[in-house]
Amino acid sequence: MARDNRSMAKQFSLPLDKAVLFSQNPTMTRSLRNLALPHIPGLHAYTPGSQPSGGDWVKLNTNECPYPPSPKVGEALRNFPYDKLRLYPNPRGEVLRQALADFYELSADRVLLGNGSDDILNLLVRAFCWETHHAVFPEPSYSLYPTLVAIQNGQARTLSFTQDMHLPEELFIGQPQETILFLTNPNAPTGVLFSQHQIIRLLESFPGLVVVDEAYGEFARESAIPLLKEYPKLAVTRTFSKSYALAGCRLGYLLGSPELIGLIDRIRDSYNVNALTQVAGLAALADQSYYQKIRSAIIAERNEFIRWCEEREWCTFPSEANFVFTAPKKEDLEGAEAAASAFAFLEKKKILVRYFPKLPLTAPYLRITVGRPEEMAAVRQALAEWAKT
Ligand code: PMP
């Protein structure tokens, strides 16, 4: 909108002739919305699962760990000399980076730390996806992938699962403009694991970078990590948020070829992992016996819950993650309506789970994070009550 030159001169203490030039400059009169890149105002932010502030929820909606981190993490944080917070952290988290490299028997130049694995996924999309560089990912899968591609104004091809949540292998054959593919493994939201054999088929069919997102990898039998040395176009992302119970710290990492790590290192924030998180991650990694115990407890509880759902003949996937994807039903109700009804019933009982009504393929299911035994007993009781209503 044109502005009055005199009032502009007054407002900005400018001589009148400068104010005339100023008001003729179109960027001075455009709204912020019009100054942003043209695709930004049309974006939708990623919607994370809700984090209610009241305390008395049974919270099984965001696949967090139901147990606290190792006591050694608490000790390490308490011993952190707080005056050190004046200083920037080690830019690459070298000590933790080396510890992860040792843990996986890889060289440190194959490891890059991130502010959660979301940070890593973001960096990968920034580096490999654009208008002419297309991304590929299954649907349903982690809904952050399309958000990141949209931020980059990139394009994506989605791989559609069959009704039984199987991905036909011919979909893996990519086009030359397809530069990056994301595969969540174990898959989310189903929890089903793609075998190493399938990952190899994918690596041999797809022309671009294959990112295996192993956010739930510690709960599964197999990993793509042993394939890294043989396949330079493979990348694996992992996180401390789930099995290490450190979601609040924000710590994830990328394993890949030294060339890939070098590329991503050029575009990350110099201090993308803060000093306290580095200390917490190091202490967590060192206490494997604690984590083996809590992972085994979660896996046992998961398998028991799957059995319980199957006894009711609810379609339930063989999860290798810390959540269960099941389609509740009762005498007079099944499908999407049953899932919506069970979700609402659980919510009234202050039990929070997740459901995905937007896609016909996912609408009949609830995704329930595996909690402590008493939390799972509460879910079973509530679902049994729901089935009787
Ligand atoms: N990948 C998948 C499949 C996830 O479900 C999540 C967690 N929502 C992440 C990555 C990101 O985890 P974080 O950023 O906490 O490491």
Side-chain angles (χ1 to χ4, degrees):
M1 195 194 289
R3 296 193 59 158
D4 170 44
N5 296 335
R6 259 175 228 290
S7 71
M8 193 161 198
K10 198 167 162 211
Q11 185 182 351
F12 294 105
S13 309
L14 289 170
L16 191 55
D17 58 336
K18 284 249 167 57
V20 172
L21 275 179
F22 224 52
S23 67
Q24 282 165 354
N25 177 349
T27 56
M28 294 308 299
T29 52
R30 275 193 276 159
S31 67
L32 276 179
R33 202 183 158 82
N34 289 327
L35 288 169
L37 304 186
H39 68 288
I40 302 285
L43 294 177
H44 297 283
Y46 172 72
T47 325
S50 88
Q51 298 288 353
S53 42
D56 54 348
W57 283 88
V58 174
K59 192 175 174 307
L60 304 174
N61 65 331
T62 46
N63 301 339
E64 289 139 328
C65 182
Y67 299 104
S70 151
K72 303 249 168 71
V73 171
E75 210 177 293
L77 289 174
R78 279 190 297 279
N79 290 339
F80 183 89
Y82 96 102
D83 61 297
K84 261 201 165 179
L85 289 175
R86 286 183 304 115
L87 306 174
Y88 286 104
N90 182 289
R92 287 195 183 85
E94 291 298 358
V95 180
L96 176 55
R97 188 185 188 207
Q98 185 63 54
L100 279 165
D102 294 345
F103 186 71
Y104 290 115
E105 298 179 2
L106 295 169
S107 52
D109 59 359
R110 286 178 168 277
V111 183
L112 183 131
L113 304 182
N115 183 33
S117 54
D118 282 349
D119 181 29
I120 304 281
L121 298 172
N122 182 21
L123 291 167
L124 288 166
V125 172
R126 272 213 247 164
F128 285 88
C129 178
W130 198 48
E131 288 159 3
T132 53
H133 290 51
H134 301 183
V136 178
F137 44 78
E139 189 181 67
S141 128
Y142 186 27
S143 55
L144 182 69
Y145 309 143
T147 305
L148 294 175
V149 172
I151 293 170
Q152 195 72 354
N153 206 18
Q155 295 206 33
R157 173 167 68 101
T158 53
L159 310 175
S160 298
F161 281 94
T162 57
Q163 201 64 35
D164 62 350
M165 297 283 185
H166 167 76
L167 263 191
E169 279 181 10
E170 58 270 20
L171 296 179
F172 294 162
I173 300 165
Q175 302 298 315
Q177 73 275 19
E178 292 177 345
T179 45
I180 186 163
L181 180 148
F182 291 96
L183 191 76
T184 315
N185 203 32
N187 187 30
T190 58
V192 176
L193 187 77
F194 293 97
S195 69
Q196 232 186 52
H197 175 72
Q198 284 172 298
I199 306 278
I200 291 172
R201 293 285 287 271
L202 169 58
L203 284 162
E204 289 176 353
S205 316
F206 187 72
L209 178 72
V210 172
V211 180
V212 181
D213 176 346
E214 294 192 352
Y216 304 99
E218 287 88 359
F219 301 103
R221 269 171 303 138
E222 254 182 14
S223 161
I225 295 172
L227 302 175
L228 281 168
K229 285 188 185 147
E230 207 179 322
Y231 293 94
K233 285 199 284 188
L234 167 67
V236 178
T237 59
R238 285 209 164 199
T239 180
F240 280 73
S241 296
K242 314 294 179 181
S243 72
Y244 285 98
L246 287 177
C249 269
R250 313 303 301 124
L251 179 61
Y253 54 97
L254 168 68
L255 306 175
S257 70
E259 191 185 5
L260 175 70
I261 300 298
L263 288 169
I264 302 303
D265 199 41
R266 287 170 167 83
I267 60 169
R268 67 178 180 89
D269 286 350
S270 336
Y271 306 108
N272 63 337
V273 178
N274 74 68
L276 289 170
T277 294
Q278 292 185 25
V279 162
L282 200 59
L285 192 67
D287 196 359
Q288 286 302 317
S289 64
Y290 173 82
Y291 285 106
Q292 284 311 337
K293 261 188 260 154
I294 63 172
R295 279 173 209 154
S296 303
I298 291 167
I299 290 170
E301 201 59 49
R302 172 191 80 197
N303 295 345
E304 159 130 23
F305 187 59
I306 292 175
R307 266 196 304 278
W308 187 86
C309 296
E310 283 174 346
E311 269 165 30
R312 276 149 192 80
E313 296 181 355
W314 294 1
C315 176
T316 308
F317 289 90
S319 171
E320 297 223 12
N322 66 338
F323 52 83
V324 173
F325 201 54
T326 186
K329 62 177 184 179
K330 53 182 174 175
E331 237 174 68
D332 54 340
L333 203 62
E334 60 183 314
E337 278 176 43
S341 155
F343 177 84
F345 189 90
L346 291 176
E347 202 178 26
K348 268 203 207 115
K349 304 237 163 219
K350 301 212 94 182
I351 299 173
L352 209 49
V353 300
R354 194 91 187 250
Y355 89 123
F356 306 90
K358 281 190 198 145
L359 282 182
L361 209 54
T362 52
Y365 295 89
L366 297 180
R367 191 198 69 190
I368 302 174
T369 305
V370 178
R372 294 168 185 250
E374 63 275 18
E375 292 175 315
M376 298 316 284
V379 178
R380 284 194 291 268
Q381 196 187 333
L383 283 171
E385 242 179 78
W386 167 79
K388 281 196 212 124
T389 53

